[in-house]
Amino acid sequence: MSTAPMVSAAQAIGEYLQSPDDLAKITAYRKKLEKEKASIDARLKSGVKEQLEATRDGLRKLLSTRNNVQAIRDEMVIVERECLDPTTKVPTFDQISRVSMVHRNFQQTEEMVNNLLEMNSKLEMLEDMLEADSQDILGPAPNLLVIHYYLNQLETFRNQTLHQAKKASAESRATLTRYFERLTTYIEAFDEYIVGLARNIVEIVREGNHDVIVKLVKIAEIEGREDEKAIAIKLVKKVAKLDAASKFKSMQANARVIKHYRSKITKAIADSIKEKFEMWYEDNKNNPSGFLQGLGWMYKDLIRIESDVVQCFPPEYEIYSHFVREYHKALNATLKRLMADEPEASVLLELFDWLKSYKKDMKELGVSPDLLEPPLLDGKEQSLIEDYLGLIIKKLDEWTANLMKTETNEFSTRAEPPELDADGQYGTQGAVILFQMVNQQVDLATESGQGAILARVVSETNRVMRGIQDQWVKIIEAEFKKQVEQPEQAPPGFVEYCMALANDQIKSADFAEALLARLEPLVSEKYRAAISDSLNNAIDGYLDVAKKCTQTLIDIIFNDLKAVTKVLFQAGWYDGVLPQMVETIRDYMGDYQAYLNPTLVELLIEDLLDTFIVIYLNALANSPKLKMPAATDQIKDDVGVVFQYFSTLKSPEELEQSFDVIELVLGMLESSKDLVFLAFNAFAQVHGPNMAFVEGLMKARGDLDRSSASEVIESIKRKVKSDNISDPPEPTIMKKIAVQGAFSRFLQRA
């Protein structure tokens, strides 16, 4: 309710006196206001009087009510006193009470005797009914409600009888217990039958016997209400005084055995689901993949439950939610058991995919996420990928360790010659076995449909391959060192096994390249680059090991030629030693061409020629004084011999490019003192200044004395400085030439 704003006296007068003419009306206004004031005063006086009368009347009624309440209270006290002690009003009440008790005892005794006499015949009938229904646990159970009705009466009779006999002698109680043994056994059998029905709810409705489930629920509801009554009466008894009738009901409540049928049914459902999963797992224990693929029955059960079972239960049971939770819990426990058995890597990937499908399928079934708690495998399904990769790493490491143990042992002992493949080339089974393992794991990762998994697996295989490659390099170096330093202790066949290993590296590179070509179309650009980098890295590694093998084969040749290479540009060299060197190279190359991969042979020839030129030029760069012109003539003869042999392996045009450096060096040896700078210029334009080599070469010329050699060297240095001659963008073979100092040469000659 709003309150009108307060108006001051000046404002009220202002409303009446708004012009000078209004002053003449003051008397009239005053009379009018006095009348209004008198009217208001009269109404207020009347209202106060009425309110006062109403208050007085209320107080009178309140006092009267208090007197009435007190009178009722006094009468109730009298009534209570008389009820507690009826003898005060009824002299014969004690006799009436005793007669009533005797009559009730006679009634109960007669009822008990009759029940005892009829119990066995009833039990025979009920046993036949239960046996008939139990024959088919999935059957229609026509006697279920009848059995429960009569059994409920018999059980109540037994409970009350045994309760009343608590004060009897021990012998009497034992006799009653023996008498009721048959009934007790039957009750246990019926309870087991009820639990059996609950364990087979889905199968029962699948057989079309929905009414059996309805009967089962009805029995549970009846027993539940009786349980609630008994519990309620027991609670009331603790806090209240009971009359005779209530005491009798209390006796019934105390006698009742609480059944908890509803909780038994829900527990039986949970146990049956758990048992289903356990049986399914045991049936597929050796086939985890089959276990996962065959779990379709779970979805069929849930669909059947939603369509047929739910309608048989009251809503408060929330039976569908209960089934879903129990299926989920049992599934989770079984999957954890599967993981504890350490399945193969393929199963981990399949399980990862299955978990994703499970979430999708349950969502399609309309299952609330709240019912799927806790998450399967505690929500750590992503760890399956890490477990899978860990298992792959472990397996690859184990397999390659075993493979390399065998391969390296064969390589080191060389008890048998290496195998020959269909092309007549040396090889081993190591490369084939390794890539069988690799392809097997890559195929499993491919089936996952996840580029990230495939990329990780390829990365791990690259790691393993690089580890094998590093191991082979170390073994080659160790075996070659033994071959050079302790030849008498080294088993024969090193050359053959080195060729076999080189061939295997080319095979492995081809396998890796084929694998890359197969995988690139299967993944997105995001993972294609990572896979390509990993496999290309592995391919480069295989080629590096193959290169190491061919270089070792070359080193073997020149290890046998050490005696000859030491003579180069020494006194014995002028007699011609290159034919002997070429014959040794020819013998080795015959084997290499026969048993080495043709691609490797081409690379080996190129490296062999480069190695020869480097050794030849190194010997020249560190030679003593050369006899001129005999030295240049011998160099020409050497080049002719070597060129003639290598022309059988390469085209003359390619050979000319390789021998061009010797021709340029020969030009600097043959040029006169005044024209050396021209020959040097031609050399430097291709290979750079190489001043240490050129200085050594000039000082080695026997036709130049020390001062002449110094003049030539100074003129060359000026030429380099004036023309700003520098090294070429790409290093040439001259970068491999090592010019020794004077002291090193002295030691070498000594």
Side-chain angles (χ1 to χ4, degrees), residues 700-739:
R701 283 181 58 167
D703 58 343
L704 296 176
D705 57 23
R706 180 175 295 182
S707 61
S708 299
S710 297
E711 290 177 10
V712 170
I713 293 170
E714 288 300 321
S715 67
I716 289 173
K717 287 181 177 179
R718 288 194 297 271
K719 179 71 173 176
V720 171
K721 186 175 182 180
S722 63
D723 293 352
N724 194 24
I725 300 173
S726 60
D727 291 336
E730 295 293 331
T732 67
I733 195 170
M734 288 303 300
K735 284 295 180 183
K736 299 178 182 179
I737 306 304
V739 180

mmCIF file of all heavy atoms in Angstrom, residues 700-739:
data_model
loop_
_atom_site.group_PDB
_atom_site.id
_atom_site.type_symbol
_atom_site.label_atom_id
_atom_site.label_comp_id
_atom_site.label_asym_id
_atom_site.label_seq_id
_atom_site.Cartn_x
_atom_site.Cartn_y
_atom_site.Cartn_z
ATOM 1 N N ALA A 700 110.559 -31.732 -55.119
ATOM 2 C CA ALA A 700 110.926 -33.115 -55.449
ATOM 3 C C ALA A 700 111.522 -33.233 -56.847
ATOM 4 O O ALA A 700 112.131 -34.262 -57.172
ATOM 5 C CB ALA A 700 109.696 -34.010 -55.319
ATOM 6 N N ARG A 701 111.349 -32.223 -57.704
ATOM 7 C CA ARG A 701 111.893 -32.305 -59.063
ATOM 8 C C ARG A 701 113.417 -32.316 -59.020
ATOM 9 O O ARG A 701 114.065 -31.400 -58.490
ATOM 10 C CB ARG A 701 111.405 -31.126 -59.902
ATOM 11 C CG ARG A 701 109.978 -31.283 -60.377
ATOM 12 C CD ARG A 701 109.519 -30.110 -61.226
ATOM 13 N NE ARG A 701 110.364 -29.906 -62.405
ATOM 14 C CZ ARG A 701 110.039 -29.118 -63.434
ATOM 15 N NH1 ARG A 701 108.865 -28.455 -63.392
ATOM 16 N NH2 ARG A 701 110.860 -28.966 -64.454
ATOM 17 N N GLY A 702 113.993 -33.366 -59.566
ATOM 18 C CA GLY A 702 115.457 -33.488 -59.554
ATOM 19 C C GLY A 702 116.138 -32.519 -60.490
ATOM 20 O O GLY A 702 117.355 -32.297 -60.379
ATOM 21 N N ASP A 703 115.413 -31.937 -61.463
ATOM 22 C CA ASP A 703 116.013 -31.026 -62.425
ATOM 23 C C ASP A 703 116.022 -29.586 -61.923
ATOM 24 O O ASP A 703 116.437 -28.678 -62.648
ATOM 25 C CB ASP A 703 115.294 -31.105 -63.770
ATOM 26 C CG ASP A 703 113.818 -30.785 -63.653
ATOM 27 O OD1 ASP A 703 113.286 -30.830 -62.495
ATOM 28 O OD2 ASP A 703 113.167 -30.491 -64.670
ATOM 29 N N LEU A 704 115.481 -29.360 -60.693
ATOM 30 C CA LEU A 704 115.481 -28.026 -60.120
ATOM 31 C C LEU A 704 116.273 -28.041 -58.820
ATOM 32 O O LEU A 704 116.018 -28.880 -57.948
ATOM 33 C CB LEU A 704 114.054 -27.537 -59.829
ATOM 34 C CG LEU A 704 113.123 -27.339 -61.028
ATOM 35 C CD1 LEU A 704 111.723 -26.937 -60.533
ATOM 36 C CD2 LEU A 704 113.662 -26.287 -61.989
ATOM 37 N N ASP A 705 117.268 -27.123 -58.753
ATOM 38 C CA ASP A 705 117.977 -27.024 -57.492
ATOM 39 C C ASP A 705 117.112 -26.258 -56.493
ATOM 40 O O ASP A 705 116.018 -25.792 -56.821
ATOM 41 C CB ASP A 705 119.347 -26.356 -57.668
ATOM 42 C CG ASP A 705 119.239 -24.959 -58.305
ATOM 43 O OD1 ASP A 705 118.130 -24.349 -58.194
ATOM 44 O OD2 ASP A 705 120.202 -24.507 -58.912
ATOM 45 N N ARG A 706 117.612 -26.085 -55.281
ATOM 46 C CA ARG A 706 116.801 -25.483 -54.217
ATOM 47 C C ARG A 706 116.390 -24.056 -54.567
ATOM 48 O O ARG A 706 115.245 -23.681 -54.381
ATOM 49 C CB ARG A 706 117.582 -25.507 -52.912
ATOM 50 C CG ARG A 706 116.803 -24.894 -51.748
ATOM 51 C CD ARG A 706 117.551 -25.048 -50.448
ATOM 52 N NE ARG A 706 117.672 -26.459 -50.078
ATOM 53 C CZ ARG A 706 118.253 -26.887 -48.959
ATOM 54 N NH1 ARG A 706 118.785 -26.022 -48.112
ATOM 55 N NH2 ARG A 706 118.332 -28.182 -48.701
ATOM 56 N N SER A 707 117.326 -23.280 -55.103
ATOM 57 C CA SER A 707 117.001 -21.880 -55.410
ATOM 58 C C SER A 707 116.007 -21.789 -56.550
ATOM 59 O O SER A 707 115.069 -20.967 -56.530
ATOM 60 C CB SER A 707 118.277 -21.104 -55.755
ATOM 61 O OG SER A 707 118.905 -21.662 -56.912
ATOM 62 N N SER A 708 116.192 -22.662 -57.557
ATOM 63 C CA SER A 708 115.251 -22.651 -58.686
ATOM 64 C C SER A 708 113.856 -23.057 -58.228
ATOM 65 O O SER A 708 112.845 -22.457 -58.632
ATOM 66 C CB SER A 708 115.739 -23.589 -59.791
ATOM 67 O OG SER A 708 116.998 -23.185 -60.285
ATOM 68 N N ALA A 709 113.798 -24.084 -57.386
ATOM 69 C CA ALA A 709 112.495 -24.521 -56.876
ATOM 70 C C ALA A 709 111.838 -23.408 -56.073
ATOM 71 O O ALA A 709 110.619 -23.176 -56.186
ATOM 72 C CB ALA A 709 112.664 -25.771 -56.017
ATOM 73 N N SER A 710 112.674 -22.669 -55.298
ATOM 74 C CA SER A 710 112.122 -21.575 -54.496
ATOM 75 C C SER A 710 111.587 -20.472 -55.384
ATOM 76 O O SER A 710 110.519 -19.880 -55.123
ATOM 77 C CB SER A 710 113.196 -21.005 -53.565
ATOM 78 O OG SER A 710 113.624 -21.990 -52.647
ATOM 79 N N GLU A 711 112.337 -20.159 -56.511
ATOM 80 C CA GLU A 711 111.860 -19.138 -57.438
ATOM 81 C C GLU A 711 110.529 -19.540 -58.056
ATOM 82 O O GLU A 711 109.607 -18.716 -58.199
ATOM 83 C CB GLU A 711 112.908 -18.901 -58.542
ATOM 84 C CG GLU A 711 114.169 -18.221 -58.053
ATOM 85 C CD GLU A 711 115.206 -18.073 -59.162
ATOM 86 O OE1 GLU A 711 114.828 -18.333 -60.334
ATOM 87 O OE2 GLU A 711 116.354 -17.738 -58.859
ATOM 88 N N VAL A 712 110.441 -20.811 -58.451
ATOM 89 C CA VAL A 712 109.200 -21.298 -59.053
ATOM 90 C C VAL A 712 108.042 -21.177 -58.056
ATOM 91 O O VAL A 712 106.947 -20.705 -58.389
ATOM 92 C CB VAL A 712 109.363 -22.755 -59.529
ATOM 93 C CG1 VAL A 712 108.008 -23.341 -59.939
ATOM 94 C CG2 VAL A 712 110.347 -22.828 -60.680
ATOM 95 N N ILE A 713 108.302 -21.574 -56.837
ATOM 96 C CA ILE A 713 107.245 -21.538 -55.813
ATOM 97 C C ILE A 713 106.802 -20.110 -55.553
ATOM 98 O O ILE A 713 105.604 -19.816 -55.442
ATOM 99 C CB ILE A 713 107.743 -22.208 -54.517
ATOM 100 C CG1 ILE A 713 107.947 -23.708 -54.744
ATOM 101 C CG2 ILE A 713 106.756 -21.982 -53.376
ATOM 102 C CD1 ILE A 713 108.669 -24.420 -53.614
ATOM 103 N N GLU A 714 107.767 -19.155 -55.492
ATOM 104 C CA GLU A 714 107.424 -17.763 -55.255
ATOM 105 C C GLU A 714 106.612 -17.189 -56.402
ATOM 106 O O GLU A 714 105.657 -16.431 -56.195
ATOM 107 C CB GLU A 714 108.694 -16.934 -55.050
ATOM 108 C CG GLU A 714 109.384 -17.188 -53.724
ATOM 109 C CD GLU A 714 108.478 -16.868 -52.545
ATOM 110 O OE1 GLU A 714 107.730 -15.859 -52.596
ATOM 111 O OE2 GLU A 714 108.491 -17.642 -51.567
ATOM 112 N N SER A 715 106.989 -17.574 -57.621
ATOM 113 C CA SER A 715 106.230 -17.074 -58.778
ATOM 114 C C SER A 715 104.800 -17.619 -58.757
ATOM 115 O O SER A 715 103.842 -16.915 -59.107
ATOM 116 C CB SER A 715 106.942 -17.467 -60.083
ATOM 117 O OG SER A 715 106.911 -18.881 -60.277
ATOM 118 N N ILE A 716 104.647 -18.874 -58.337
ATOM 119 C CA ILE A 716 103.311 -19.477 -58.251
ATOM 120 C C ILE A 716 102.490 -18.776 -57.179
ATOM 121 O O ILE A 716 101.305 -18.470 -57.376
ATOM 122 C CB ILE A 716 103.424 -20.987 -57.965
ATOM 123 C CG1 ILE A 716 103.968 -21.725 -59.194
ATOM 124 C CG2 ILE A 716 102.058 -21.565 -57.564
ATOM 125 C CD1 ILE A 716 104.262 -23.183 -58.959
ATOM 126 N N LYS A 717 103.110 -18.465 -56.047
ATOM 127 C CA LYS A 717 102.401 -17.775 -54.968
ATOM 128 C C LYS A 717 101.935 -16.398 -55.421
ATOM 129 O O LYS A 717 100.828 -15.962 -55.089
ATOM 130 C CB LYS A 717 103.298 -17.651 -53.739
ATOM 131 C CG LYS A 717 103.503 -18.966 -53.001
ATOM 132 C CD LYS A 717 104.380 -18.762 -51.766
ATOM 133 C CE LYS A 717 104.532 -20.072 -50.987
ATOM 134 N NZ LYS A 717 105.407 -19.914 -49.800
ATOM 135 N N ARG A 718 102.836 -15.702 -56.198
ATOM 136 C CA ARG A 718 102.422 -14.394 -56.711
ATOM 137 C C ARG A 718 101.249 -14.533 -57.667
ATOM 138 O O ARG A 718 100.333 -13.706 -57.685
ATOM 139 C CB ARG A 718 103.618 -13.717 -57.401
ATOM 140 C CG ARG A 718 104.687 -13.222 -56.435
ATOM 141 C CD ARG A 718 105.650 -12.287 -57.143
ATOM 142 N NE ARG A 718 106.391 -12.961 -58.218
ATOM 143 C CZ ARG A 718 107.540 -13.595 -58.037
ATOM 144 N NH1 ARG A 718 108.099 -13.652 -56.825
ATOM 145 N NH2 ARG A 718 108.146 -14.162 -59.056
ATOM 146 N N LYS A 719 101.304 -15.586 -58.471
ATOM 147 C CA LYS A 719 100.212 -15.841 -59.419
ATOM 148 C C LYS A 719 98.896 -16.071 -58.676
ATOM 149 O O LYS A 719 97.845 -15.536 -59.051
ATOM 150 C CB LYS A 719 100.568 -17.071 -60.273
ATOM 151 C CG LYS A 719 99.501 -17.454 -61.289
ATOM 152 C CD LYS A 719 99.417 -16.449 -62.429
ATOM 153 C CE LYS A 719 98.467 -16.937 -63.519
ATOM 154 N NZ LYS A 719 98.294 -15.922 -64.584
ATOM 155 N N VAL A 720 98.962 -16.847 -57.612
ATOM 156 C CA VAL A 720 97.764 -17.138 -56.809
ATOM 157 C C VAL A 720 97.204 -15.859 -56.217
ATOM 158 O O VAL A 720 95.996 -15.608 -56.230
ATOM 159 C CB VAL A 720 98.085 -18.145 -55.692
ATOM 160 C CG1 VAL A 720 96.917 -18.275 -54.719
ATOM 161 C CG2 VAL A 720 98.432 -19.500 -56.279
ATOM 162 N N LYS A 721 98.118 -15.014 -55.719
ATOM 163 C CA LYS A 721 97.681 -13.776 -55.076
ATOM 164 C C LYS A 721 97.130 -12.782 -56.088
ATOM 165 O O LYS A 721 96.084 -12.150 -55.855
ATOM 166 C CB LYS A 721 98.852 -13.174 -54.313
ATOM 167 C CG LYS A 721 98.468 -11.963 -53.480
ATOM 168 C CD LYS A 721 99.645 -11.480 -52.654
ATOM 169 C CE LYS A 721 99.225 -10.288 -51.783
ATOM 170 N NZ LYS A 721 100.374 -9.793 -50.959
ATOM 171 N N SER A 722 97.839 -12.637 -57.225
ATOM 172 C CA SER A 722 97.406 -11.652 -58.224
ATOM 173 C C SER A 722 96.091 -12.045 -58.882
ATOM 174 O O SER A 722 95.234 -11.198 -59.137
ATOM 175 C CB SER A 722 98.493 -11.464 -59.287
ATOM 176 O OG SER A 722 98.712 -12.690 -59.992
ATOM 177 N N ASP A 723 95.933 -13.338 -59.154
ATOM 178 C CA ASP A 723 94.705 -13.802 -59.822
ATOM 179 C C ASP A 723 93.617 -14.202 -58.834
ATOM 180 O O ASP A 723 92.539 -14.648 -59.245
ATOM 181 C CB ASP A 723 95.020 -14.988 -60.739
ATOM 182 C CG ASP A 723 95.900 -14.586 -61.912
ATOM 183 O OD1 ASP A 723 96.119 -13.358 -62.081
ATOM 184 O OD2 ASP A 723 96.361 -15.487 -62.644
ATOM 185 N N ASN A 724 93.967 -14.060 -57.543
ATOM 186 C CA ASN A 724 92.994 -14.397 -56.486
ATOM 187 C C ASN A 724 92.427 -15.808 -56.689
ATOM 188 O O ASN A 724 91.215 -16.037 -56.704
ATOM 189 C CB ASN A 724 91.849 -13.374 -56.461
ATOM 190 C CG ASN A 724 91.030 -13.472 -55.191
ATOM 191 O OD1 ASN A 724 91.521 -13.945 -54.166
ATOM 192 N ND2 ASN A 724 89.780 -13.044 -55.257
ATOM 193 N N ILE A 725 93.339 -16.750 -56.876
ATOM 194 C CA ILE A 725 92.920 -18.135 -57.104
ATOM 195 C C ILE A 725 92.517 -18.757 -55.768
ATOM 196 O O ILE A 725 93.268 -18.685 -54.789
ATOM 197 C CB ILE A 725 94.048 -18.947 -57.756
ATOM 198 C CG1 ILE A 725 94.442 -18.323 -59.105
ATOM 199 C CG2 ILE A 725 93.631 -20.404 -57.932
ATOM 200 C CD1 ILE A 725 95.652 -18.964 -59.742
ATOM 201 N N SER A 726 91.347 -19.375 -55.716
ATOM 202 C CA SER A 726 90.847 -19.995 -54.475
ATOM 203 C C SER A 726 90.384 -21.416 -54.752
ATOM 204 O O SER A 726 90.381 -21.876 -55.901
ATOM 205 C CB SER A 726 89.682 -19.178 -53.896
ATOM 206 O OG SER A 726 88.617 -19.114 -54.830
ATOM 207 N N ASP A 727 89.988 -22.093 -53.703
ATOM 208 C CA ASP A 727 89.511 -23.473 -53.856
ATOM 209 C C ASP A 727 88.204 -23.484 -54.633
ATOM 210 O O ASP A 727 87.393 -22.542 -54.550
ATOM 211 C CB ASP A 727 89.291 -24.109 -52.486
ATOM 212 C CG ASP A 727 90.606 -24.350 -51.753
ATOM 213 O OD1 ASP A 727 91.642 -24.459 -52.425
ATOM 214 O OD2 ASP A 727 90.567 -24.416 -50.503
ATOM 215 N N PRO A 728 87.940 -24.545 -55.373
ATOM 216 C CA PRO A 728 86.678 -24.634 -56.127
ATOM 217 C C PRO A 728 85.488 -24.786 -55.171
ATOM 218 O O PRO A 728 85.657 -25.195 -54.015
ATOM 219 C CB PRO A 728 86.869 -25.895 -56.975
ATOM 220 C CG PRO A 728 87.867 -26.708 -56.224
ATOM 221 C CD PRO A 728 88.781 -25.723 -55.557
ATOM 222 N N PRO A 729 84.270 -24.467 -55.637
ATOM 223 C CA PRO A 729 83.079 -24.584 -54.768
ATOM 224 C C PRO A 729 82.896 -25.997 -54.219
ATOM 225 O O PRO A 729 82.549 -26.175 -53.056
ATOM 226 C CB PRO A 729 81.920 -24.185 -55.689
ATOM 227 C CG PRO A 729 82.551 -23.401 -56.791
ATOM 228 C CD PRO A 729 83.930 -23.950 -56.972
ATOM 229 N N GLU A 730 83.154 -26.982 -55.074
ATOM 230 C CA GLU A 730 83.034 -28.370 -54.648
ATOM 231 C C GLU A 730 84.424 -28.968 -54.507
ATOM 232 O O GLU A 730 85.262 -28.826 -55.403
ATOM 233 C CB GLU A 730 82.223 -29.186 -55.663
ATOM 234 C CG GLU A 730 80.769 -28.753 -55.795
ATOM 235 C CD GLU A 730 79.979 -29.035 -54.531
ATOM 236 O OE1 GLU A 730 80.326 -29.984 -53.810
ATOM 237 O OE2 GLU A 730 79.021 -28.281 -54.259
ATOM 238 N N PRO A 731 84.696 -29.646 -53.366
ATOM 239 C CA PRO A 731 86.033 -30.229 -53.193
ATOM 240 C C PRO A 731 86.311 -31.297 -54.234
ATOM 241 O O PRO A 731 85.406 -32.033 -54.656
ATOM 242 C CB PRO A 731 85.978 -30.816 -51.777
ATOM 243 C CG PRO A 731 84.525 -31.018 -51.491
ATOM 244 C CD PRO A 731 83.805 -29.928 -52.233
ATOM 245 N N THR A 732 87.564 -31.392 -54.661
ATOM 246 C CA THR A 732 87.964 -32.405 -55.638
ATOM 247 C C THR A 732 88.810 -33.461 -54.937
ATOM 248 O O THR A 732 89.013 -33.430 -53.722
ATOM 249 C CB THR A 732 88.775 -31.758 -56.773
ATOM 250 O OG1 THR A 732 90.025 -31.278 -56.236
ATOM 251 C CG2 THR A 732 88.009 -30.581 -57.372
ATOM 252 N N ILE A 733 89.330 -34.356 -55.719
ATOM 253 C CA ILE A 733 90.118 -35.460 -55.169
ATOM 254 C C ILE A 733 91.373 -34.969 -54.462
ATOM 255 O O ILE A 733 91.916 -35.646 -53.579
ATOM 256 C CB ILE A 733 90.474 -36.457 -56.304
ATOM 257 C CG1 ILE A 733 90.962 -37.785 -55.700
ATOM 258 C CG2 ILE A 733 91.502 -35.857 -57.244
ATOM 259 C CD1 ILE A 733 91.109 -38.886 -56.729
ATOM 260 N N MET A 734 91.819 -33.772 -54.801
ATOM 261 C CA MET A 734 93.033 -33.246 -54.187
ATOM 262 C C MET A 734 92.854 -32.995 -52.690
ATOM 263 O O MET A 734 93.842 -32.922 -51.954
ATOM 264 C CB MET A 734 93.460 -31.956 -54.887
ATOM 265 C CG MET A 734 94.029 -32.167 -56.285
ATOM 266 S SD MET A 734 95.441 -33.286 -56.331
ATOM 267 C CE MET A 734 96.611 -32.447 -55.271
ATOM 268 N N LYS A 735 91.609 -32.843 -52.225
ATOM 269 C CA LYS A 735 91.367 -32.640 -50.800
ATOM 270 C C LYS A 735 91.747 -33.867 -49.976
ATOM 271 O O LYS A 735 91.911 -33.796 -48.761
ATOM 272 C CB LYS A 735 89.894 -32.296 -50.554
ATOM 273 C CG LYS A 735 89.531 -30.876 -50.936
ATOM 274 C CD LYS A 735 90.261 -29.873 -50.050
ATOM 275 C CE LYS A 735 89.916 -28.438 -50.424
ATOM 276 N NZ LYS A 735 90.692 -27.467 -49.614
ATOM 277 N N LYS A 736 91.855 -35.015 -50.662
ATOM 278 C CA LYS A 736 92.210 -36.251 -49.973
ATOM 279 C C LYS A 736 93.730 -36.458 -49.901
ATOM 280 O O LYS A 736 94.190 -37.435 -49.294
ATOM 281 C CB LYS A 736 91.573 -37.448 -50.683
ATOM 282 C CG LYS A 736 90.048 -37.388 -50.720
ATOM 283 C CD LYS A 736 89.489 -38.577 -51.472
ATOM 284 C CE LYS A 736 87.956 -38.511 -51.558
ATOM 285 N NZ LYS A 736 87.387 -39.652 -52.305
ATOM 286 N N ILE A 737 94.493 -35.586 -50.522
ATOM 287 C CA ILE A 737 95.944 -35.742 -50.561
ATOM 288 C C ILE A 737 96.529 -35.151 -49.287
ATOM 289 O O ILE A 737 96.265 -33.989 -48.941
ATOM 290 C CB ILE A 737 96.554 -35.048 -51.794
ATOM 291 C CG1 ILE A 737 95.860 -35.556 -53.073
ATOM 292 C CG2 ILE A 737 98.058 -35.290 -51.845
ATOM 293 C CD1 ILE A 737 95.915 -37.048 -53.255
ATOM 294 N N ALA A 738 97.317 -35.938 -48.576
ATOM 295 C CA ALA A 738 97.934 -35.513 -47.315
ATOM 296 C C ALA A 738 99.428 -35.350 -47.524
ATOM 297 O O ALA A 738 100.141 -36.328 -47.819
ATOM 298 C CB ALA A 738 97.656 -36.522 -46.222
ATOM 299 N N VAL A 739 99.922 -34.113 -47.425
ATOM 300 C CA VAL A 739 101.346 -33.832 -47.599
ATOM 301 C C VAL A 739 102.007 -33.864 -46.230
ATOM 302 O O VAL A 739 101.636 -33.106 -45.327
ATOM 303 C CB VAL A 739 101.551 -32.447 -48.257
ATOM 304 C CG1 VAL A 739 103.050 -32.172 -48.432
ATOM 305 C CG2 VAL A 739 100.833 -32.392 -49.589
#
